[in-house]
Amino acid sequence: MSNTSVESNTNLTLSAAARLRALLQSKDLSFLMEAHNGLTARVVAEEGFEGIWASGLSISSSLGVRDRNEASWTQVLEVLEFMVDSAGIPILVDGDTGHGDFNNVRRFVRKLCQRGLAGVCIEDKQFPKTNSFLSEKQPLVSIEEFAGKIRAAQDAKTDDNFNVVARIEALISGHGMPEAIKRAEAYHAAGADAILIHSKRSTASEILEFKEIWGDRGPVVIVPTKYSSTPTEVFAKAGFSTIIWANHNLRASLSAVRATTRQIYNDRSVAALESEIATVEEVFRMVETAEIDEASKRYLPAN
């Protein structure tokens, strides 16, 4: 976890947005863990992470649809509201392309602020988005149009500390390093609070090259899904702000659910599984069922 001071990150008098801002601006490397519903958000918080990445891929997939804006932004917002209520730690929302043009971005950001989300990350691809790990040469919007979305997000926020992260897809889409730097400069000038530079290479070479060129002009966030074998210390030494573990809880859940379902189907029994899966009592604890009993004593007649 990040070594950012306990006072700045756990003081609940600060808004979630202010706590996320402290993570992004810290000199120490911080980590955001993926969650996609209220229960996984609570698990991430209980395990000690200081922030959550509300993954578009994970939320869409958990709803049974493709990561192509098939779930509407209002459906995503409903999931996010449950996550905020469950987590108690800042959540950075994967906002895809902003769900449309600058006007959609403004409305989405206002709604995120109303519900206590800490920030949004939007990417410079065209709407509807295509997942970064699918196909090649995905089309990008113009620099000017995306810079306008950044300005719109900043103008629409109702919490001054709400964070707007600009995700650059130039390397993913094969446009090269000069284009990635050009876009980073434009988005930074437009008011982005951090830059997320994305890559699908199996090594961190181009990510490290970007950071060396970019220097310390602003926080840089990375998502090492494809170059996961690179030691975390390399990123800390290079001066990156934040690492996002982007989809691992979804993938772990899918593996576990499939294995459990297959075994029950084959065995026609749950006897062999009971010692390997969470107890019902643990489920009750996670959703704070006991609180109802205490509340009942306060609010219901004694008899």
Side-chain angles (χ1 to χ4, degrees):
M1 298 301 99
S2 165
N3 292 323
T4 305
S5 70
V6 172
E7 180 180 358
S8 65
N9 280 305
T10 62
N11 185 348
L12 296 182
T13 63
L14 294 176
S15 71
R19 284 179 277 156
L20 178 60
R21 182 169 294 262
L23 290 177
L24 291 173
Q25 295 180 348
S26 172
K27 298 297 183 182
D28 298 310
L29 186 64
S30 60
F31 300 87
L32 303 181
M33 183 66 191
E34 173 263 316
H36 50 274
N37 55 28
L39 190 62
T40 53
R42 182 161 292 171
V43 169
V44 170
E46 283 193 353
E47 291 304 315
F49 280 92
E50 295 177 281
I52 289 172
W53 170 249
S55 162
L57 168 64
S58 296
I59 292 174
S60 297
S61 299
S62 69
L63 295 173
V65 297
R66 289 164 288 208
D67 185 24
R68 201 177 184 275
N69 299 120
E70 292 186 1
S72 71
W73 69 265
T74 56
Q75 291 171 317
V76 171
L77 192 66
E78 184 174 2
V79 175
L80 294 173
E81 189 169 9
F82 281 106
M83 291 173 66
V84 169
D85 289 344
S86 297
I89 59 175
I91 300 175
L92 176 62
V93 176
D94 180 1
D96 294 334
T97 63
H99 301 281
D101 66 5
F102 74 91
N103 192 45
N104 300 84
V105 170
R106 291 192 300 183
R107 184 163 173 77
F108 189 50
V109 166
R110 284 196 295 268
K111 293 301 181 182
L112 293 179
C113 289
Q114 287 173 10
R115 285 160 173 77
L117 280 307
V120 67
C121 177
I122 55 176
E123 61 192 66
D124 56 0
K125 289 189 299 201
Q126 294 182 2
F127 177 87
K129 64 85 60 80
T130 302
N131 187 276
S132 298
F133 298 131
L134 295 174
S135 72
E136 302 290 335
K137 301 292 184 182
Q138 296 179 14
L140 307 181
V141 297
S142 71
I143 292 176
E144 293 76 13
E145 180 180 346
F146 192 76
K149 287 186 178 183
I150 297 295
R151 290 192 295 271
Q154 291 289 11
D155 289 344
K157 69 185 186 183
T158 56
D159 182 338
D160 288 342
N161 287 305
F162 184 85
N163 301 273
V164 180
V165 179
R167 173 168 157 173
I168 297 171
E169 295 285 292
L171 300 181
I172 285 278
S173 300
H175 291 275
M177 189 63 65
E179 181 69 11
I181 294 295
K182 182 180 179 181
R183 286 176 176 265
E185 291 171 342
Y187 304 160
H188 181 65
D193 297 300
I195 298 296
L196 190 159
I197 186 65
H198 207 13
S199 172
K200 57 183 176 184
R201 286 190 182 177
S202 59
T203 71
S205 57
E206 62 180 0
I207 294 296
L208 294 169
E209 181 185 351
F210 176 91
K211 184 63 174 69
E212 184 176 1
I213 298 171
W214 181 252
D216 296 322
R217 283 180 271 184
V220 179
V221 181
I222 56 173
V223 187
T225 301
K226 291 294 186 180
Y227 47 97
S228 58
S229 61
T230 304
T232 303
E233 293 75 15
V234 172
F235 304 126
K237 184 177 180 180
F240 287 99
S241 159
T242 305
I243 289 177
I244 293 174
W245 309 120
N247 46 48
H248 297 80
N249 277 331
L250 174 82
R251 291 158 58 193
S253 299
L254 182 57
S255 296
V257 168
R258 184 177 296 282
T260 299
T261 302
R262 179 181 292 128
Q263 184 166 350
I264 292 173
Y265 179 83
N266 291 334
D267 293 354
R268 298 187 180 184
S269 170
V270 298
L273 282 168
E274 286 295 340
S275 63
E276 301 177 14
I277 60 177
T279 63
V280 175
E281 289 74 19
E282 172 65 2
V283 175
F284 291 157
R285 185 194 70 79
M286 289 293 296
V287 298
E288 299 181 342
T289 302
E291 190 274 337
I292 288 293
D293 295 332
E294 294 301 314
S296 297
K297 296 174 185 177
R298 179 175 175 84
Y299 299 119
L300 293 179
N303 59 352

